[in-house]
């Protein structure tokens, strides 16, 4: 792995137009990394959660108010 100080010293030696190329390449690499992330698929959480059958029933705590 390249250390930050080594990379910074190399970048400092480059002319401005080459720094722009490096910046564009870094943007390209970041987009490539982001596009490789897995995106959730519809229905991929099926079976992960269970809702009890009495979910819609009134709660005992609110009996006085109903």
């Amino acid at each position: 792995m390249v250390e930050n100080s080594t990379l910074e010293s190399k970048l400092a030696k480059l002319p401005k137009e080459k720094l722009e190329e490096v910046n564009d390449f870094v943007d390209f690499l970041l987009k490539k990394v982001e596009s490789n992330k897995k995106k959730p698929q519809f229905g991929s959480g099926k079976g992960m959660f269970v809702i009890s059958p009495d979910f819609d029933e009134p709660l005992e705590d609110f009996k006085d108010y109903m």
Side-chain angles (χ1 to χ4, degrees):
M1 183 171 186
V2 179
E3 293 182 29
N4 285 342
S5 59
T6 306
L7 186 58
E8 289 173 6
S9 64
K10 289 179 180 181
L11 289 172
K13 295 177 186 177
L14 291 175
K16 184 178 179 182
E17 59 274 358
K18 295 298 178 184
L19 282 175
E20 291 172 3
E21 285 184 43
V22 170
N23 187 47
D24 291 341
F25 183 66
V26 169
D27 288 341
F28 165 76
L29 289 176
L30 289 172
K31 285 181 185 176
K32 189 175 177 181
V33 168
E34 288 175 8
S35 68
N36 286 341
K37 291 182 181 178
K38 289 185 177 181
K39 296 177 180 148
Q41 297 290 322
F42 180 78
S44 62
K46 185 176 182 178
M48 292 177 67
F49 304 97
V50 178
I51 297 176
S52 64
D54 65 343
F55 177 77
D56 289 330
E57 297 298 319
L59 298 173
E60 288 287 322
D61 294 343
F62 293 111
K63 238 181 187 178
D64 296 339
Y65 304 101
M66 298 183 89

